[in-house]
Amino acid sequence: MGKGFFISKTVGVVGIVLGVGAVSTIIALSVVYSQEKAKNLEVSPTKPPTTTTTSTGAPATTEPSNEQWHKYRLPDTLLPESYEVTLWPRLEKDATSGLYIFTGGSEVTFRCVKETDLILIHSNKLNFTKGANGHLATLTGLDGSSPPAITQSWLEVRTQFLVVKLDGNLKADQRYVLHTQFTGELADDLGGFYRSVYMEDGVEKVVATTQMQPTDARKAFPCFDEPAMKAIFNITLIHPRDRVALSNMEEIAAKNITIDGIEVTETKFAPTPRMSTYLLAFIVSDYTSIGMMAGDVQIRIFARRKAIAAGQGEYALNVTGPILKYFERYYSAPYPLKKSDQIALPDFNAGAMENWGLITYRETALLYDPAFSSNANKERIATIIGHELAHMWFGNLVTLKWWNDLWLNEGFASYVEYLGADDAEPSWGVKDLIVLGDVHRVFAVDALASSHPLSSKEEEIQRPEQISELFDAISYSKGASVLRMLSSFLTEEVFVQGLSTYLNTFAYNNTVYTDLWDHLQAAVEKTGSTNKLPPNSRVHDVMNRWVLQMGFPVVSIDATTGSLSQQHFLLDPDSVVDRPSEFNYEWFVPITWQKSGTQGTAFWLLDKTATNNDLKVTGDQWVLANLNVTGFYRVKYDDANYAKLLNQLTIDHTVIPVINRAQLIDDAFNLARAKHVLTTLALDMTKYLKAETEYMPWESALDNLDFFYLMFDRSEIYGLLQAYIKGQVEPLFNYYQTMTEMWTKVPDGHTDQYNQVNALRMACSTGISACTQLVQTWYKAWMANPANNPIHPNLRSTVYCSAIAAGGVQEWDHGWKMFQSATIATEADKLRSSLACASQPWLLNRYLEYTLNATLIRKQDATSTIVYIANNVVGQPLAWDFMRANWAYIFNEYGGGSFSFSNLINGVTKRFSTEFELQQLQQFKKDNAHVGFGSGTLAVEQSIERTQANIKWLKENKDNVEKWLKQFSP
Ligand code: BES
Ligand code: ZN
């Protein structure tokens, strides 16, 4: 495209934007509103006439449902090449409509690849200003072609298209430009071009920002909004002169102009590389930044002025360079842009979003202040930066063709985020934590009959809600787990070699997941590593079994005979799996193992059963398999081997690697739930904890005992359970008391700091008086002197929670006041979760009411706050009633979220364990079928299945657990 043309087009767009003034705003917004209403009724307000004619003049014969515009996917007739987009967000309310709006103009250059008389381009909630031709768009031809005339143009609300019909065909290989001008609402709905609001020095400040993934770029400007429709984007933002404008690329020009008497600045950004629409970002704010160079790449951190002034961006700035450089080495590919901006937003739905060159974050995920932030907050910042930077190549440079392969994109980033964070903070040992954070976490979900395979078929994923549903624990955590397994059996050396050729081959293009297998296979062959795979097998053969069928195996090992077998692990052994699998729920399982501390040779379990004589033990030797849980499977042993492992744990647990101690506990508890072993065996695994000080086994035990608490905290067994845990945790509490010299020092190790929190939390919740007194003294001191908080940031969540639980309205109100005046979001979050610990129902009900008032609890935090309340045994029934009563409102007002609905439904119902609760849940499903559950649809099924399993579990286990606890409680 010639330079002259480029400039004259831009002038044209400014003219367009200029023309869309305040008068049209009112019309615009009433249309936005009527579209919304129409969406609910599923009819279009601007329906085309029922009889249309084709380009040949013949009447249209197809039924409406067969028309292209009634389908969700774009036809294969047009391909975008470049866009010129100008957007002008208004940071003040429009006086007449009382709404925040933006206006815009766009010109998209596209190539026709198949003759067609129809232009379909995504558009959602935009109102178009008619052109001179009386239509919603105008069309020009490039390369000397003159385009056919537009005969009809309308908006399809359900499928989110702007439809343009022509009186003749566009010609293959010709390029055209579609011009539009439009208005949209800059709503506080966290999707598309939206507004975020915060107070600074008593002044309300508005940030105009974007969240496009997965399908909301179409809410900011009309675009071919599919990930394979890559194009070059030339973005221009119009904004107040005293505000900063940011986009994916660096600024190339800024000039002051006056539009309709309004003095503004017009900032232009460099053309993007060929990229997908979902990765675009535009932000106008009053922010400042700090920055540095990492080689040739400019790194900047943007945030509220006060946050930057307080140094809250420093940590993120310091780790970004090393992590970016780490990934350049890991991928053997340079970072493809000149700059990498990262920005913290007060209102943000997800944790962070990998917009190319302009990553957006929730404030808690980017801003760090040692005076307020815990080491957990710090770890989250390092890993989330790792995650999003990993996407800059894997996802952004090379993009999966369609959303059905989302698991590979998110699973990959969720795996390598640990590698990036580990490089920045090598002393933390974060790589091990994937076992708790992803492997164990997703085992729980993937063991349900209602689970689903990682990979979906392209045709199955059509509607935006179906796309949103894919952002779940399976895609993220199972994806991460199986990729870690793959990297581990291939070795990292082979893995990164395949990865690098994959990225370099498909740069600026799209792929399907098997392209990665192809490149890994090539790397296996090239490096002479076929021995890393089963005989005569390719990467595909192994991975298909993990990717195309849901669930995972439990491998049973009989160490007396050396025989082993595999079986689909189902948490509820009676549940019915109605999803067929071409692999019969068998896997190719990489078996790593050791015998009483001596590592054996890894091998593959390829069939249902096998024998390996090396696994046989004699005397008090024991076998341990799945070392460091690099394999995505559980392990079960014969009774004798369990007895010897338990004995080893008792006499010297350090012989067993720390991750495997966590695994033994997690496997035993879950095998017990699935009736593979006795529940008492699982409880037996916790006996040695009296001598355990490591975080991972403790965390694993507490995660699993959490289930016991959920099942028993409303029953007579609760007292016994408390007494037992109290006895187990007391030595840990004393250990930390000594180590920290009466809680005045911070443990050195990262995970020791975590386990200190566990010690304190459990000691207080089981009523160890030294603990309860300690925390109440701290909290009282803080209440007396709010400007001087004596509690270490690592311990705050726990201390606040214990003190608020033990206290009354005064403790609660202090917490609330501190929440409202917090100057850093991590502190606010600690208080927000702790306020849910109150024991008085009226405090909890009042708090529930606050969650639906966006001026009190930000929309981004509403669902998690409700879940916090439900975690509290007193709050549980209140939260359930509240969610049921307000479902329609919550769904409509807080929709668009990705994780929130499934978390809400699963969170509020996780204690359900009676027939009556099951009935209520089924009733809830029926009553709200017409409203829908959006991204929480699967969660409703999971909750029903979980409740049924809980009912059965209680029936079968209550007496035995009671007996065991009576025997082993002090
Ligand atoms: N691409 C996602 C953000 C996203 C999630 C957009 C859901 C749209 C819907 C981003 O890369 C991501 O995965 N963020 C995670 C953080 C990560 C550390 C797991 C998040 O937001 O929680
Ligand atoms: Zn991601």
Side-chain angles (χ1 to χ4, degrees):
M1 181 189 306
K3 212 172 178 192
F5 180 70
F6 178 69
I7 291 166
S8 70
K9 279 218 308 193
T10 312
V11 172
V13 174
V14 172
I16 289 165
V17 171
L18 200 146
V20 185
V23 184
S24 55
T25 301
I26 304 155
I27 311 162
L29 295 168
S30 62
V31 173
V32 171
Y33 175 70
S34 67
Q35 283 183 17
E36 271 303 271
K37 264 188 12 193
K39 192 176 176 187
N40 294 334
L41 301 171
E42 300 249 322
V43 290
S44 164
T46 45
K47 246 195 161 148
T50 37
T51 41
T52 57
T53 51
T54 66
S55 57
T56 56
T61 50
T62 47
E63 290 183 43
S65 63
N66 265 337
E67 300 287 8
Q68 279 290 348
W69 53 83
H70 285 144
K71 303 189 172 122
Y72 286 90
R73 293 294 302 271
L74 288 165
D76 58 359
T77 46
L78 309 175
L79 290 178
E81 285 187 348
S82 67
Y83 294 77
E84 301 280 336
V85 181
T86 299
L87 290 166
W88 183 8
R90 310 300 151 82
L91 305 184
E92 272 159 35
K93 261 185 207 162
D94 179 72
T96 358
S97 65
L99 295 173
Y100 290 84
I101 62 151
F102 63 90
T103 51
S106 166
E107 297 178 352
V108 50
T109 303
F110 59 87
R111 178 182 294 278
C112 173
V113 287
K114 268 191 196 164
E115 286 207 352
T116 178
D117 62 352
L118 179 69
I119 300 172
L120 280 187
I121 186 164
H122 284 108
S123 168
N124 185 21
K125 299 189 185 177
L126 295 174
N127 171 63
F128 289 83
T129 306
K130 284 187 177 157
N133 61 359
H135 284 288
L136 305 184
T138 56
L139 184 66
T140 52
L142 284 179
D143 317 316
S145 68
S146 60
I150 297 175
T151 54
Q152 288 174 317
S153 60
W154 73 92
L155 296 167
E156 274 296 326
V157 174
R158 187 175 56 89
T159 48
Q160 306 179 344
F161 282 122
L162 163 62
V163 188
V164 176
K165 291 204 86 184
L166 307 170
D167 73 350
N169 273 350
L170 299 172
K171 302 274 174 301
D173 272 337
Q174 296 272 356
R175 296 186 307 150
Y176 302 87
V177 183
L178 188 77
H179 312 245
T180 50
Q181 39 183 308
F182 47 87
T183 306
E185 191 191 357
L186 194 71
D188 61 347
D189 56 359
L190 309 170
F193 207 7
Y194 73 93
R195 78 175 189 278
S196 174
V197 183
Y198 63 97
M199 297 295 289
E200 200 167 67
D201 297 326
V203 181
E204 187 180 276
K205 299 214 163 148
V206 173
V207 180
T209 184
T210 52
Q211 170 59 42
M212 307 306 201
Q213 196 186 20
T215 57
D216 277 337
R218 62 190 71 169
K219 217 164 144 262
F221 67 101
C223 54
F224 296 88
D225 198 10
E226 293 191 359
M229 294 286 166
K230 289 196 176 186
I232 292 163
F233 294 85
N234 296 282
I235 306 296
T236 303
L237 290 175
I238 295 172
H239 54 95
R241 292 189 180 169
D242 58 352
R243 298 293 151 110
V244 203
L246 297 170
S247 187
N248 304 79
M249 305 303 288
E250 66 281 4
E251 178 182 317
I252 46 170
K255 69 171 182 238
N256 288 338
I257 55 172
T258 305
I259 309 177
D260 284 346
I262 307 172
E263 297 190 329
V264 289
T265 300
E266 179 202 79
T267 302
K268 295 177 62 58
F269 300 92
T272 68
R274 240 173 79 80
M275 65 180 281
S276 306
T277 47
Y278 80 88
L279 293 167
L280 289 168
F282 330 119
I283 305 179
V284 174
S285 71
D286 187 37
Y287 280 11
T288 51
S289 68
I290 47 174
M292 61 159 78
M293 295 299 290
D296 295 339
V297 184
Q298 185 191 27
I299 296 170
R300 294 184 297 184
I301 306 291
F302 283 84
R304 291 179 285 107
R305 287 169 180 279
K306 287 257 159 89
I308 291 295
Q312 294 173 10
E314 302 287 344
Y315 181 67
L317 182 64
N318 289 336
V319 291
T320 297
I323 296 177
L324 200 74
K325 292 289 149 194
Y326 172 80
F327 283 126
E328 289 191 327
R329 294 194 303 275
Y330 184 75
Y331 292 132
S332 303
Y335 177 74
L337 309 181
K338 278 195 196 147
K339 63 110 173 164
S340 168
D341 286 336
Q342 297 178 96
I343 184 165
L345 296 162
D347 300 279
F348 192 75
N349 206 16
M353 175 65 213
E354 70 268 28
N355 314 300
W356 216 1
L358 177 52
I359 309 176
T360 43
Y361 292 84
R362 226 177 229 241
E363 289 196 351
T364 48
L366 193 68
L367 302 180
Y368 176 82
D369 184 334
F372 293 99
S373 310
S374 64
N375 66 319
N377 296 141
K378 198 174 188 178
E379 184 192 308
R380 166 137 163 105
I381 292 167
T383 50
I384 203 163
I385 290 177
H387 181 106
E388 306 311 337
L389 289 179
H391 277 311
M392 299 297 116
W393 294 259
F394 203 102
N396 298 9
L397 180 64
V398 179
T399 312
L400 277 320
K401 274 204 182 81
W402 184 244
W403 298 109
N404 61 313
D405 280 342
L406 176 85
W407 71 270
L408 183 57
N409 190 25
E410 291 304 348
F412 187 89
S414 299
Y415 164 48
V416 302
E417 68 184 49
Y418 290 96
L419 310 187
D422 181 63
D423 188 75
E425 297 283 3
S427 71
W428 287 355
V430 280
K431 283 204 267 185
D432 294 352
L433 299 180
I434 192 173
V435 172
L436 296 174
D438 292 285
V439 186
H440 285 178
R441 177 174 96 110
V442 75
F443 269 167
V445 184
D446 204 23
L448 302 177
S450 59
S451 189
H452 60 89
L454 274 171
S455 184
S456 328
K457 295 226 165 62
E458 183 168 351
E459 318 79 77
E460 286 166 0
I461 308 300
Q462 299 269 338
R463 287 178 278 113
E465 311 83 82
Q466 292 172 323
I467 298 168
S468 289
E469 246 186 271
L470 292 173
F471 291 82
D472 68 357
I474 299 288
S475 295
Y476 276 77
S477 295
K478 184 177 183 177
S481 304
V482 302
L483 291 166
R484 171 171 172 264
M485 173 168 70
L486 172 60
S487 175
S488 141
F489 69 71
L490 289 183
T491 69
E492 185 168 289
E493 190 194 339
V494 175
F495 187 77
V496 295
Q497 169 150 359
L499 185 59
S500 164
T501 61
Y502 166 86
L503 290 172
N504 287 299
T505 306
F506 296 106
Y508 307 105
N509 280 307
N510 294 82
T511 54
V512 291
Y513 77 90
T514 48
D515 291 327
L516 180 60
W517 299 168
D518 289 343
H519 280 260
L520 291 170
Q521 181 61 30
V524 165
E525 286 162 19
K526 208 167 146 210
T527 55
S529 308
T530 44
N531 63 335
K532 305 284 190 297
L533 289 166
N536 307 315
S537 297
R538 306 168 70 219
V539 168
H540 311 57
D541 302 316
V542 179
M543 293 312 287
N544 278 344
R545 286 164 170 77
W546 297 96
V547 162
L548 299 178
Q549 55 187 354
M550 70 175 189
F552 58 90
V554 49
V555 172
S556 302
I557 295 180
D558 186 336
T560 60
T561 61
S563 70
L564 61 167
S565 64
Q566 60 165 304
Q567 188 186 344
H568 181 189
F569 180 77
L570 288 166
L571 198 57
D572 177 356
D574 305 326
S575 57
V576 182
V577 176
D578 47 21
R579 195 188 281 270
S581 161
E582 57 178 306
F583 304 107
N584 259 318
Y585 291 103
E586 285 175 29
W587 289 263
F588 285 0
V589 192
I591 310 282
T592 51
W593 58 280
Q594 59 150 285
K595 209 184 268 181
S596 294
T598 311
Q599 190 149 340
T601 313
F603 63 97
W604 288 92
L605 175 60
L606 301 171
D607 299 301
K608 193 144 188 75
T609 58
T611 302
N612 183 336
N613 285 325
D614 292 347
L615 293 176
K616 271 199 219 168
V617 292
T618 52
D620 35 315
Q621 271 186 331
W622 42 260
V623 142
L624 179 74
N626 198 7
L627 302 180
N628 295 329
V629 196
T630 51
F632 192 66
Y633 58 95
R634 294 197 183 279
V635 189
K636 184 202 155 179
Y637 304 98
D638 59 282
D639 290 346
N641 198 59
Y642 270 126
K644 288 185 273 185
L645 283 166
L646 277 170
N647 185 48
Q648 182 66 61
L649 285 174
T650 315
I651 53 177
D652 180 7
H653 59 259
T654 60
V655 177
I656 297 173
V658 64
I659 300 182
N660 287 97
R661 305 207 294 271
Q663 168 214 32
L664 281 171
I665 295 169
D666 195 66
D667 280 352
F669 272 92
N670 286 280
L671 289 168
R673 277 177 70 181
K675 292 200 252 183
H676 286 277
V677 302
L678 296 174
T679 302
T680 49
L681 174 77
L683 288 166
D684 286 342
M685 288 280 176
T686 67
K687 285 201 263 174
Y688 95 99
L689 289 173
K690 262 188 146 85
E692 178 66 272
T693 55
E694 283 284 344
Y695 167 69
M696 289 192 64
W698 263 108
E699 184 64 24
S700 174
L702 294 176
D703 283 347
N704 283 291
L705 287 166
D706 193 46
F707 173 69
F708 281 59
Y709 275 102
L710 291 176
M711 294 301 104
F712 294 130
D713 65 5
R714 298 175 290 175
S715 83
E716 69 279 10
I717 293 180
Y718 179 67
L720 282 170
L721 181 60
Q722 284 284 78
Y724 173 69
I725 306 292
K726 185 177 178 179
Q728 295 303 92
V729 89
E730 205 147 25
L732 192 70
F733 180 76
N734 294 333
Y735 170 81
Y736 278 105
Q737 183 153 284
T738 310
M739 179 200 271
T740 63
E741 299 173 20
M742 294 305 287
W743 315 100
T744 59
K745 300 243 152 48
V746 181
D748 290 334
H750 181 64
T751 54
D752 289 336
Q753 294 178 28
Y754 283 162
N755 216 25
Q756 181 197 15
V757 177
N758 279 336
L760 206 66
R761 177 167 64 89
M762 294 316 293
C764 278
S765 70
T766 56
I768 293 177
S769 57
C771 181
T772 46
Q773 272 164 20
L774 178 74
V775 304
Q776 284 173 41
T777 312
W778 276 338
Y779 197 82
K780 284 220 166 68
W782 185 37
M783 281 173 75
N785 187 358
N788 188 8
N789 187 338
I791 311 157
H792 188 276
N794 285 356
L795 308 181
R796 284 186 187 172
S797 291
T798 297
V799 172
Y800 295 169
C801 176
S802 301
I804 287 170
V809 64
Q810 279 172 350
E811 282 76 10
W812 202 94
D813 285 350
H814 172 73
W816 178 249
K817 215 164 111 199
M818 294 295 103
F819 166 75
Q820 289 192 303
S821 62
T823 54
I824 180 162
T826 49
E827 175 70 7
D829 263 20
K830 292 183 180 84
L831 286 157
R832 189 166 58 82
S833 62
S834 305
L835 289 165
C837 299
S839 337
Q840 297 178 19
W842 76 274
L843 289 174
L844 293 169
N845 265 332
R846 185 177 68 174
Y847 196 26
L848 278 167
E849 293 296 333
Y850 290 0
T851 62
L852 297 188
N853 180 342
T855 60
L856 297 177
I857 300 288
R858 288 182 188 274
K859 279 190 175 184
Q860 62 174 11
D861 297 325
T863 55
S864 67
T865 308
I866 299 170
V867 171
Y868 290 145
I869 296 170
N871 287 345
N872 176 343
V873 62
V874 184
Q876 146 74 42
L878 310 176
W880 170 235
D881 287 348
F882 182 80
M883 184 179 93
R884 281 191 291 176
N886 295 294
W887 181 256
Y889 179 79
I890 296 173
F891 189 77
N892 293 322
E893 203 56 21
Y894 292 76
S898 42
F899 299 108
S900 41
F901 288 127
S902 61
N903 281 354
L904 181 65
I905 294 167
N906 281 321
V908 170
T909 62
K910 70 178 176 196
R911 214 182 241 101
F912 282 8
S913 49
T914 66
E915 287 294 341
F916 182 59
E917 285 164 335
L918 178 63
Q919 276 169 27
Q920 287 187 336
L921 191 52
Q922 277 157 342
Q923 192 64 39
F924 170 69
K925 181 181 162 185
K926 249 190 243 149
D927 290 349
N928 290 292
H930 66 288
V931 180
F933 300 96
S935 59
T937 308
L938 187 60
V940 176
E941 299 310 318
Q942 287 167 340
S943 298
I944 290 174
E945 193 183 337
R946 201 179 39 239
T947 306
Q948 287 164 335
N950 290 349
I951 293 170
K952 262 192 278 174
W953 187 87
L954 267 181
K955 227 180 261 158
E956 288 158 9
N957 287 283
K958 199 169 166 193
D959 293 344
N960 284 335
V961 171
E962 185 169 14
K963 231 191 271 157
W964 190 95
L965 286 171
K966 276 195 177 135
Q967 192 184 342
F968 294 106
S969 304

